[in-house]
Each structure stands twice: as C-alpha cells, then as structure tokens.
Amino acid sequence: MKKLIPFIISAAILGIAIYVLSDPYFFTSAKMLYQLGVAKSDEGNDAIDVQGKRQAADYFERAIEKGYRDRNVYVNLYWAYTHIHSDSKIEEMLTDALEAYPNDVEFLFRRADSRLSQHKYELAIEDYSKVISTGPDFQYVHNAYYDRGAAKFILGKRDEAEKDREMAQQLAPHQLRTYEDYSNLYK
C-alpha cells in the first residue's frame, strides 16, 4: 500500500500538468484574453476577416469563462458572432449577457433579432415586447415594433402585425416596407 501512494501522487501531478499544458491560455488573465480579442477583432477592418473574427470570439469566450464579464466583452463577442454568422451562439451569449446585465435593452433587442432570424417567432415577440415596454427613448424602438409585427405577420396575426407596423411607421425616420415583402426574409 505504501508503494502505491507515491504512484497515485505522481499520476495526479502528471494529470494536472497535462491539463495545464493542454490549455495555452491557462496562465493568461481574463482581461488579457479580452484585450487579445479586441486586437484580433480590429485587424483587417477594411475587409471582414472571418478567421480573425473566429479567433477574436474564442478570446472573448475564454475571457468570459475566466470571469471577465464587462459589458464590452459581450458587445465585442456579439459583433464577432455576427460576422461569422452564428445566430444560435448569438442567442445563447446574449442570454448569458442578460443574466449579467438584466436591464440592458440593447442586449434584449439583439437577442430578439437573433430569435427572429432563427424562426423562434414567439420568443422574438416576447423580447420585442419587453424592449417596447421600456419606453420610446430606446433608439431602435421603431425597429422593435416593426420586427415584432413581422413575427406576428408570419404567425398569421395580421391585424396585430399591422398595428405594430403603423406604430413603427410613426416612429421611423423613413418609409417602411409592407410585411408581405419584408417577412419573406424570415420564412
């Protein structure tokens, strides 16, 4: 039995060493990972570098995993995911961001957009309704009305949809398309 103890200790130390060495960022701080993500995200702004955005997203994800939950890490991760076309990851990340920042209307609005893109119409309507309930000061409130109406239109609630479109038109700085045309994007 006494001969087994050094073997167990050696195996445990070896296991820990393998775990630490398998993660090249194990000793990198969360804030540094965020800064690496920002640097990678800023590369090639003249043309979107999808691979660079993937790497930036990886840095931001690692920063969040290590406890760096500053609002900007979520904002930057959102834009990285947007450039790599990952709606399901956007929704998941924004749900996490809303746990950290429950009153952030922009995160709620962006999650609603993500849900609409994924054909999760009822969930999108719920989020857009919450955005609208915060009041008219939100800069995208006309979009929230319009997109909520689009989701309702797709679900066959045409009268409710038209009321949302009319409200959106009152608030919008430009002429809005009809839902017959617009909702084809989400079918």
Side-chain angles (χ1 to χ4, degrees):
M1 183 68 177
K2 288 186 177 185
K3 291 182 180 181
L4 193 57
I5 291 174
F7 175 73
I8 292 172
I9 291 172
S10 297
I13 291 171
L14 181 61
I16 291 170
I18 290 171
Y19 175 75
V20 168
L21 294 175
S22 69
D23 182 359
Y25 302 105
F26 185 81
F27 294 108
T28 308
S29 73
K31 190 169 184 175
M32 177 57 75
L33 288 167
Y34 169 71
Q35 291 169 346
L36 289 168
V38 169
K40 186 52 85 174
S41 195
D42 287 345
E43 287 179 6
N45 277 336
D46 294 339
I48 295 173
D49 173 14
V50 175
Q51 185 59 32
K53 298 297 182 187
R54 280 193 184 101
Q55 290 173 332
D58 183 54
Y59 286 129
F60 296 138
E61 289 166 352
R62 288 173 184 271
I64 290 169
E65 287 171 12
K66 284 192 167 200
Y68 192 73
R69 297 178 67 83
D70 183 83
R71 185 182 186 280
N72 286 331
V73 74
Y74 291 107
V75 170
N76 283 302
L77 183 54
Y78 167 80
W79 288 112
Y81 281 160
T82 299
H83 291 299
I84 59 177
H85 309 291
S86 185
D87 281 321
S88 62
K89 282 193 165 200
I90 289 172
E91 179 188 7
E92 181 182 318
M93 180 274 302
L94 287 171
T95 298
D96 183 43
L98 284 164
E99 288 176 19
Y101 299 92
N103 298 319
D104 195 302
V105 182
E106 186 167 349
F107 287 159
L108 188 60
F109 176 73
R110 302 275 182 213
R111 185 176 73 177
D113 284 348
S114 173
R115 288 175 165 177
L116 183 62
S117 294
Q118 295 177 80
H119 309 285
K120 296 179 178 180
Y121 304 120
E122 293 292 346
L123 292 173
I125 290 169
E126 286 178 31
D127 281 353
Y128 287 129
S129 295
K130 289 176 188 174
V131 169
I132 291 166
S133 74
T134 65
D137 294 334
F138 180 59
Q139 71 182 37
Y140 302 118
V141 72
H142 72 279
N143 296 84
Y145 273 109
Y146 187 71
D147 291 340
R148 181 178 75 172
K152 289 177 179 179
F153 183 87
I154 291 168
L155 293 173
K157 302 173 184 179
R158 292 181 181 239
D159 291 337
E160 292 178 38
E162 191 53 33
K163 287 178 187 175
D164 278 349
R165 196 183 79 71
E166 289 171 6
M167 181 57 85
Q169 187 59 72
Q170 289 175 18
L171 299 169
H174 58 287
Q175 187 64 34
L176 299 173
R177 295 164 41 181
T178 65
Y179 285 136
E180 287 83 9
D181 179 36
Y182 179 74
S183 65
N184 286 327
L185 297 171
Y186 296 101
K187 287 185 179 178

